């Protein structure tokens, strides 16, 4: 499967990068390392897919964010125990 950049339409590849995310309560931002990303070989854009963005948003909504330090990896985040089974406020 060939990945194409959403920005320029050229060939892209799967990669990982670091993102900074505001917690749902707006209290602070955290650094999430090794986050799955699309990396464009032409324009250099690095971004997360809508699916990864939704996974991060949902997980941050469903876990106890008080236990999260300033930084954690993507795998650590998605591996955290949830307080609810799913996001019951997502009607999409």
């Amino acid at each position: 499967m060939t990945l194409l950049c959403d920005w320029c339409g050229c060939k892209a590849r799967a990669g990982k990068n670091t993102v900074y995310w505001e917690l749902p309560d707006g209290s602070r931002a955290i650094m999430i390392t090794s986050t799955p990303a699309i990396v464009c070989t032409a324009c250099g854009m690095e971004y997360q897919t809508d699916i990864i963005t939704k996974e991060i948003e949902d997980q941050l909504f469903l876990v106890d964010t008080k236990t999260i330090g300033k930084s954690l990896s993507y795998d650590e985040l998605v591996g955290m125990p949830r307080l609810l089974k799913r996001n019951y406020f997502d009607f999409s």
Side-chain angles (χ1 to χ4, degrees):
M1 179 176 142
T2 302
L3 291 174
L4 297 178
C5 176
D6 288 344
W7 297 90
C8 72
C10 292
K11 186 177 177 182
R13 63 177 175 79
K16 294 184 185 246
N17 64 7
T18 297
V19 296
Y20 298 87
W21 224 271
E22 184 177 353
L23 295 179
D25 65 2
S27 62
R28 61 192 171 100
I30 59 169
M31 180 172 63
I32 307 170
T33 61
S34 300
T35 306
I38 303 297
V39 179
C40 180
T41 55
C43 71
M45 182 62 94
E46 295 184 12
Y47 60 95
Q48 277 59 50
T49 63
D50 291 340
I51 293 169
I52 294 297
T53 299
K54 182 163 176 25
E55 285 178 4
I56 292 171
E57 291 287 336
D58 283 348
Q59 188 69 352
L60 287 173
F61 187 73
L62 298 171
V63 300
D64 182 5
T65 58
K66 292 176 182 75
T67 64
I68 298 175
K70 293 180 181 181
S71 172
L72 76 165
S73 73
Y74 175 80
D75 290 337
E76 290 171 327
L77 175 64
V78 296
M80 290 181 72
R82 293 179 169 192
L83 301 174
L84 297 171
K85 290 183 181 181
R86 67 180 191 92
N87 184 353
Y88 294 99
F89 302 103
D90 181 8
F91 302 108
S92 58

